[in-house]
Amino acid sequence: MAENQWPLWEIFIRSKQGLDHKHVGSLHAADAQMAIENARDVYTRRMEGVSIWVVESKYVHASNPDDAASFYDPASDKVYRHPTFYDLPDELKHM
Amino acid sequence: MSVQDLEKIFQDKIDADIRIEPKDWMPDAYRKTLVRQMSQHAHSEIVGMLPEANWITRAPTLRRKATLIAKVQDEAGHGLYLYAATETLGTGREELLDQLHTGKAKYSSIFNYPTLTWADMGAIGWLVDGAAIMNQVPLCRASYGPYARAMVRICKEESFHQRQGFEILLTLSKGSEAQRRMCQDAIDRWWWPSVMMFGPNDDASPHTAQSMQWKIKRFSNDELRQRFVDICAGQVKILGMTLPDPDLVWNEHRQHYDFGAINWDEFWSVIKGNGPCNKDRLEARVKAHEEGAWVREAALAHAEKMSRKRAS
Ligand SMILES: [Fe+2]
Ligand SMILES: [Fe+2]
């Protein structure tokens, strides 16, 4: 096999217990174990993480930004999904 | 949609400070300029490890050695963040490395100067990382999302680089006569190449206007250079040293330091490959890459074996 064909991995890091894993970048590695170890070395050198997820980039499916206008359109006219939509008297407390 | 419409939507987003992300439509010239600028930056981080690695084994104390290793390791990380960000534009890692190794791509000229004494580790941290920070902080707001995010990460890490460098010089400046001489000598040799790191004067950099419009450059070369000179002119006093420029003088009217003429012949000559270390640097990179080939192959073979094992 040709050299340099290590696949690309997307790296997600949980910065502390209780928080979500967040995308921090990507790197090349031969397999998942190596991706995790390399991610530790490049993305958590200063205690930035307590947990690492790696996903091979080819398995990430994304929405198409060109369709954004129509794709997100169904939510744009539904203001009644927000609490501020409802007209209630000021004396109503704890709601 | 016509290209003109797409271009307008694109520029409107940039004007509104909305970041461009990898899958968004972008003009070819924007993509090309970014690939060039970001990969050049990535190469600089990687080649930049060489002059400092030269002193790791000879650091004067364990503390200095640990610090220097940590700094060089950071630079490797910076290279990686930037390569990864560049790859989101559709140019693969092999191609980027190939451009570096064949001399097709440039890296910052500063790394073509030799590191002759321990004091150079101090001068590099203070001046070279200092100039890099000056260039990089505005890029944290660059219009291309992955680039801006990489720069945020890099800038967070850079500040220790500059501080450790200044600390080295400060220690030398309080040392023996020989140490003080070594300190001044390093400043003398690194000052002008650092001033040149900001690139040609504004009237000689034709792409600045376009890059500013695209917000992949926020300040002109001369603006950043002036800021750098002003700050260093103050800081050098703390060291009790001087900057090697007889024309350096505070200009009350401009509220800036005036400084002497830059030797642009030297600048272009080093860029063209005639600096003191151009050949060494490139050879070292190519050698490391070639000698690492078996490691890359072995890792792949191991990964394949493991996955076969899991399957059976
Ligand atoms: Fe760096
Ligand atoms: Fe640095």
Side-chain angles (χ1 to χ4, degrees), chain A residues 13-16 38-50 52, chain B residues 66-78 81 129 133 150 152-164:
Chain A
I13 303 229
R14 184 201 296 286
S15 58
K16 68 178 200 205
N38 288 357
R40 174 203 59 194
D41 290 343
V42 279
Y43 292 110
T44 67
R45 283 199 300 279
R46 291 173 174 79
M47 317 279 294
E48 290 98 333
V50 294
I52 297 173
Chain B
T67 312
L68 192 55
I69 290 173
K71 178 183 190 286
V72 171
Q73 194 185 12
D74 272 357
E75 306 300 4
H78 298 173
Y81 307 153
D129 286 84
I133 292 169
V152 167
R153 200 171 282 284
I154 289 173
C155 285
K156 261 192 215 152
E157 301 185 350
E158 282 294 345
S159 84
F160 119 68
H161 298 182
Q162 198 187 16
R163 290 171 68 93
Q164 64 90 35

Side-chain angles (χ1 to χ4, degrees), chain B residues 57-168:
Chain B
T57 55
R58 290 171 289 162
T61 67
L62 205 50
R63 176 177 184 270
R64 294 286 186 218
K65 188 192 289 239
T67 312
L68 192 55
I69 290 173
K71 178 183 190 286
V72 171
Q73 194 185 12
D74 272 357
E75 306 300 4
H78 298 173
L80 177 106
Y81 307 153
L82 286 161
Y83 280 131
T86 313
E87 284 177 84
T88 64
L89 290 159
T91 308
R93 182 77 56 95
E94 293 125 279
E95 195 179 335
L96 295 171
L97 290 180
D98 199 56
Q99 288 171 356
L100 172 67
H101 296 155
T102 56
K104 227 180 104 191
K106 300 281 176 226
Y107 54 86
S108 181
S109 267
I110 193 85
F111 302 117
N112 290 318
Y113 291 86
T115 44
L116 304 178
T117 72
W118 169 251
D120 288 14
M121 297 305 97
I124 286 181
W126 176 39
L127 298 173
V128 178
D129 286 84
I133 292 169
M134 194 68 76
N135 265 324
Q136 289 169 358
V137 168
L139 291 174
C140 296
R141 293 185 298 132
S143 59
Y144 187 56
Y147 190 25
R149 292 191 286 275
M151 291 315 308
V152 167
R153 200 171 282 284
I154 289 173
C155 285
K156 261 192 215 152
E157 301 185 350
E158 282 294 345
S159 84
F160 119 68
H161 298 182
Q162 198 187 16
R163 290 171 68 93
Q164 64 90 35
F166 198 84
E167 195 195 67
I168 289 173

